[in-house]
């Protein structure tokens, strides 16, 4: 089946075309979220897709949301095109396995990031200040070392093409209110801890991740994307050793290729060679199989 770079569903208004998702308004209470095969890196969307990537992201999200249902309800209404409104069924080839009908919740104005290992921007901040987003950490930590306790390190939400900014818990409380911030902190840490422990049994270390939550009728819902290779850093447990960067199942392979060719992290993005696209696809499919124990049906 052909890759889906973007959708053009004419029966319903397109309300957002993000880095990866196309979102349509079905009615006042319902959204259609389509996870395409677009890939972005350094906040730039590439001109070429990674075949089946959208299905991997969508199916991994559904897997985790089901696992976390006792912790937090989610926004999913339907996942099978047969259960969608009739006008959508002619788009079955584009929608099946890579889309959901979802409740329309109001997203919180922060990204809920949890860090279980010190890496990425957290490692950079620690080297400069000994802190990560206001959390004072012990001296002498090594790059990629597991933290004694996972950290909730929220960030702002940037517009497409802009960069999110790390913020302190006090700033997050200003945006959400103290009570809601504490509730979200506890929930994000609980979800991460369960996922981390499960994934470790499957040979994957979840170094860090970001969650989205929304409010509907006063209830907090788990929305958007959950613990995928796009929203998380997945490392193979085999060969893990602190003191250096780690190989990964996430987009790091793809980012490394862009750095290697001298990409300046600004549009326009380069075309993706077939061998790079194929290897990236393999990494996404491998992550799915390790987590779920099954091959993705593609």
């Amino acid at each position: 089946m052909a890759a889906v770079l973007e959708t053009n569903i004419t029966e319903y208004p397109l309300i957002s075309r993000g880095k990866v998702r196309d979102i349509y308004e079905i009615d006042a209470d319902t959204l259609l979220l389509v996870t395409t095969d677009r890939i972005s890196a350094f906040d730039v969307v590439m001109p070429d897709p990674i075949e089946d990537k959208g299905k991997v992201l969508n199916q991994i999200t559904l897997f985790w949301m089901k696992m976390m249902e006792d912790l937090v309800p989610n926004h999913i209404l339907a996942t099978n095109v047969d259960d969608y409104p009739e006008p959508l069924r002619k788009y079955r080839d584009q929608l099946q396995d890579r889309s959901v009908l979802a409740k329309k919740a109001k997203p919180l104005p922060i990204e809920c990031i949890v860090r279980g290992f010190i890496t990425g921007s957290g490692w950079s901040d620690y080297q400069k200040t000994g802190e990560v987003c206001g959390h004072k950490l012990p001296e002498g930590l090594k790059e990629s070392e597991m933290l004694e306790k996972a950290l909730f390190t929220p960030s702002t939400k940037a517009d497409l093409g802009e960069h999110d900014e790390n913020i302190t818990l006090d700033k997050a409380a200003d945006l959400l209110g103290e009570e809601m911030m504490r509730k979200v902190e506890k929930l994000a840490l609980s979800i991460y801890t369960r996922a981390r422990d499960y994934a470790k049994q499957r040979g994957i270390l979840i170094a860090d991740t970001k969650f989205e939550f929304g409010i509907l009728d006063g209830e907090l819902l788990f929305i958007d994307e959950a613990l995928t290779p796009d929203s998380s850093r997945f490392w193979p447990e085999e060969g893990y050793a602190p003191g250096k960067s780690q190989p990964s199942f996430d987009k790091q392979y793809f980012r490394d290729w862009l750095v290697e060719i001298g990409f300046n992290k600004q549009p326009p993005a380069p075309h993706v060679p077939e061998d790079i696209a194929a290897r990236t696809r393999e990494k996404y499919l491998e992550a799915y199989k390790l987590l779920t124990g099954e091959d993705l049906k593609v």
Side-chain angles (χ1 to χ4, degrees), residues 53 56 229-230 251 280-288:
K53 172 180 175 283
V56 171
D230 270 25
K251 289 192 292 187
T280 303
R281 178 178 182 269
E282 286 171 12
K283 284 183 168 287
Y284 278 89
L285 291 171
E286 184 181 8
Y288 177 87

Side-chain angles (χ1 to χ4, degrees), residues 95-113:
L95 297 180
Q96 189 61 45
D97 299 327
R98 65 167 71 250
S99 67
V100 296
L101 283 186
K103 300 172 187 175
K104 188 193 288 186
K106 182 180 180 182
L108 297 183
I110 64 168
E111 298 272 13
C112 297
I113 297 169

Side-chain angles (χ1 to χ4, degrees), residues 123-149:
W123 171 244
S124 299
D125 290 348
Y126 171 75
Q127 288 179 293
K128 295 171 190 168
T129 67
E131 298 184 357
V132 176
C133 299
H135 295 274
K136 182 69 177 172
L137 298 181
E139 293 181 9
L141 293 180
K142 299 176 182 176
E143 182 179 6
S144 304
E145 188 168 339
M146 184 175 178
L147 298 169
E148 185 177 351
K149 289 184 179 179

Side-chain angles (χ1 to χ4, degrees), residues 32 39 74 94-95 124 135 148 202 219 223-224 229 265:
L32 172 70
I39 186 167
N74 60 61
Q94 295 180 54
L95 297 180
S124 299
H135 295 274
E148 185 177 351
R202 313 289 307 188
E219 183 178 41
I223 66 169
D224 195 43
K265 304 181 183 180

Side-chain angles (χ1 to χ4, degrees), residues 11-12 81-91:
E11 288 82 354
Y12 300 98
V81 176
D82 290 337
D83 300 321
Y84 291 4
E86 194 280 330
L88 291 173
R89 294 177 195 168
K90 70 180 182 181
Y91 300 101

Side-chain angles (χ1 to χ4, degrees), residues 40-47 254-271:
S40 71
F42 306 113
D43 294 313
V44 180
V45 179
M46 303 294 125
F254 191 79
R255 292 190 196 99
D256 289 346
W257 166 72
L258 287 170
V259 170
E260 193 177 299
I261 65 170
F263 177 51
N264 65 0
K265 304 181 183 180
Q266 300 291 328
H271 284 283

Side-chain angles (χ1 to χ4, degrees), residues 34 36 49 52 98 103 117 124 139-140 152 156 162 201-202 205 242 257 264 269 286 294 298:
V34 188
T36 72
D52 297 317
R98 65 167 71 250
K103 300 172 187 175
F117 294 72
S124 299
E139 293 181 9
F152 177 64
T156 59
E162 302 296 320
Q201 296 171 358
R202 313 289 307 188
L205 302 178
W257 166 72
N264 65 0
E286 184 181 8
E294 301 176 353
V298 295

Side-chain angles (χ1 to χ4, degrees), residues 14-55:
L14 175 73
I15 60 172
S16 172
R17 199 187 299 281
K19 294 173 190 170
V20 173
R21 278 168 194 77
D22 293 349
I23 302 176
Y24 296 85
E25 185 178 64
I26 303 304
D27 58 38
D29 303 312
T30 312
L31 299 174
L32 172 70
L33 279 60
V34 188
T35 310
T36 72
D37 294 326
R38 293 194 292 272
I39 186 167
S40 71
F42 306 113
D43 294 313
V44 180
V45 179
M46 303 294 125
D48 305 298
I50 304 297
E51 189 174 348
D52 297 317
K53 172 180 175 283
K55 291 183 180 181

